[in-house]
Amino acid sequence: MTSTSVQSTALTPYGWDDAWADAFTPHAAEGLLPGRVVRVDRGQCDVVTADGVVRADTAFVTPHDPLRVVCTGDWVAVEPGGHPRYVRAYLPRRTAFVRSTSSKRSEGQILAANVDHAVIAVSLAVELDLGRVERFLALAWESGAQPVVVLTKADLVPDPVTLAHLVEDVETSAPGVPVLTVSALYGEGLDILVSLVGSGTTVLLGQSGAGKSTLANALVGDDVMDVRAARDVDGKGRHTTTTRNLLALPSGGVLIDTPGLRGVGLFDAETGVGQVFAEIEELAADCRFHDCAHETEPGCAVRSAVEDGALPVRRLESYRKLKRENQWIVAKTDARLRAEIKKDWKRRGAEGKAAMEAKRGRRP
């Protein structure tokens, strides 16, 4: 058996295919080994190769751009030996899950690479935050992955009617996205999820306390993740996962578990926001003005849908919020766009004030 076929056989469970092999050809000619990053921390990473998991330094591929650092899920070219061993390059990513950082430098943070499915875990132990679900979905769609919403801890909602209403609320907020109810504790609903993520790479996302680690253990079939109980009052718990870990699933496919995310900031996610609010974007095509903000403009098809009860006002408010946030994030790195946005906001503010004055019978 050739070294190439050995590598293919060993790495296939982690997502290696002919396309990756073709992309790796130039690195193979240099005598480098292919591998997939299963964990990253402090400038080093664990890489699964045909020879097993090796520890490698990422110093040679750590640019100033934080979106180009090595991350969990990357396919990389590593040195065949040496101490320390180095990652020399990573292959072009098919998809990338990115959020904005909490810094004021307008930087993005890459959470996972080469992901096919994004499972968004939402706990039913606390009140649903549909706005947060929509935020996760926008990032997932923007990444290029197919999102799936999993409502965890379904055993805590024993009334089937109440559960059905909760599922319906999430489905309204997640058009075109599968919404599953799961009780990892009792194994309910897991078979459907396993079939969905049985091929390709899945990233598991959600807030701390959403039951991600329990779900990961159920999918892997072993207690690979530490699990701690969340508080009953608010569903929050300490972060049980502190790094992003890549695991091969026994039923096929690969899972990347992530730490609980407190902040889910958008990062240049205009396409993702449009996908989450597809029904609003469709309605907007019938507005009188092509740049309608769906606020005070006459002939607004979106506001008409709200008034008719066809579109929930909460959806429109969430859409406006995420659109504004995303515009501002993009504008932070584009001075011209930033000036245009400020000018537009002032214009709309003046129009709104004039409309209020007109309603009161005063001259604008």
Side-chain angles (χ1 to χ4, degrees):
M1 184 179 291
T2 66
S3 60
T4 301
S5 59
V6 170
Q7 290 171 355
S8 298
T9 302
L11 295 177
T12 295
Y14 292 91
W16 185 257
D17 57 28
D18 291 342
W20 286 123
D22 289 342
F24 193 80
T25 301
H27 305 295
E30 297 176 4
L32 300 175
L33 299 178
R36 193 164 195 191
V37 178
V38 298
R39 186 171 180 267
V40 177
D41 63 284
R42 299 176 183 177
Q44 293 190 317
C45 60
D46 293 335
V47 182
V48 60
T49 70
D51 298 329
V53 177
V54 301
R55 188 75 167 166
D57 196 298
T58 63
F60 281 99
V61 282
T62 305
H64 295 297
D65 184 353
L67 295 181
R68 297 178 63 190
V69 300
V70 171
C71 75
T72 304
D74 271 327
W75 284 100
V76 297
V78 297
E79 295 175 339
H83 184 75
R85 183 179 299 208
Y86 288 96
V87 172
R88 289 292 176 172
Y90 66 81
L91 301 186
R93 294 161 177 159
R94 294 177 181 174
T95 61
F97 196 97
V98 180
R99 68 166 178 176
S100 67
T101 64
S102 57
S103 72
K104 297 181 180 180
R105 296 194 298 255
S106 309
E107 293 179 344
Q109 178 190 19
I110 184 163
L111 299 179
N114 303 312
V115 171
D116 301 291
H117 306 96
V119 170
I120 301 163
V122 181
S123 174
L124 290 175
V126 294
E127 185 177 354
L128 284 176
D129 185 343
L130 296 176
R132 181 170 287 271
V133 173
E134 289 162 345
R135 186 176 288 270
F136 269 113
L137 287 170
L139 292 176
W141 280 123
E142 190 68 32
S143 75
Q146 166 66 50
V148 179
V149 178
V150 175
L151 303 179
T152 65
K153 307 181 183 182
D155 51 286
L156 298 181
V157 187
D159 180 23
V161 176
T162 301
L163 183 59
H165 283 311
L166 292 172
V167 171
E168 184 179 359
D169 286 343
V170 176
E171 287 177 338
T172 301
S173 303
V177 176
V179 179
L180 310 178
T181 57
V182 167
S183 171
L185 186 63
Y186 297 104
E188 298 172 355
L190 286 174
D191 53 340
I192 301 175
L193 180 59
V194 168
S195 65
L196 274 174
V197 304
S199 61
T201 298
T202 298
V203 63
L204 188 54
L205 305 159
Q207 285 183 284
S208 182
K212 293 189 298 81
S213 295
T214 302
L215 197 58
N217 287 338
L219 291 172
V220 176
D222 196 7
D223 292 336
V224 295
M225 297 296 172
D226 183 23
V227 178
R228 296 173 188 154
R231 296 193 296 259
D232 293 334
V233 175
D234 55 12
K236 294 181 180 178
R238 289 178 292 173
H239 295 300
T240 54
T241 303
T242 57
T243 59
R244 288 172 280 280
N245 302 282
L246 185 146
L247 307 161
L249 300 177
S251 56
V254 177
L255 179 70
I256 299 176
D257 191 21
T258 64
L261 300 176
R262 291 191 181 94
V264 196
L266 301 184
F267 185 80
D268 198 3
E270 181 178 359
T271 301
V273 172
Q275 190 79 32
V276 176
F277 298 94
E279 82 278 30
I280 296 180
E281 301 254 306
E282 186 176 344
L283 287 167
D286 294 326
C287 290
R288 183 181 301 177
F289 303 106
H290 76 277
D291 61 344
C292 183
H294 321 307
E295 293 175 350
T296 60
E297 298 88 347
C300 176
V302 174
R303 282 192 295 108
S304 294
V306 172
E307 292 165 4
D308 294 342
L311 176 68
V313 66
R314 189 207 67 78
R315 285 280 286 172
L316 178 56
E317 290 173 349
S318 183
Y319 174 71
R320 287 171 175 161
K321 179 179 180 181
L322 294 185
K323 287 282 283 187
R324 284 195 299 266
E325 177 184 326
N326 190 67
Q327 278 185 327
W328 187 245
I329 286 292
V330 174
K332 278 185 175 182
T333 57
D334 188 330
R336 182 179 176 182
L337 179 59
R338 183 163 61 249
E340 289 177 356
I341 289 174
K342 285 184 177 180
K343 183 179 179 180
D344 188 53
W345 285 356
K346 287 181 180 179
R347 177 179 65 81
R348 295 188 190 284
E351 290 175 351
K353 184 178 180 181
M356 289 299 295
E357 293 291 340
K359 283 184 179 180
R360 293 171 184 167
R362 300 177 188 172
R363 219 173 189 181

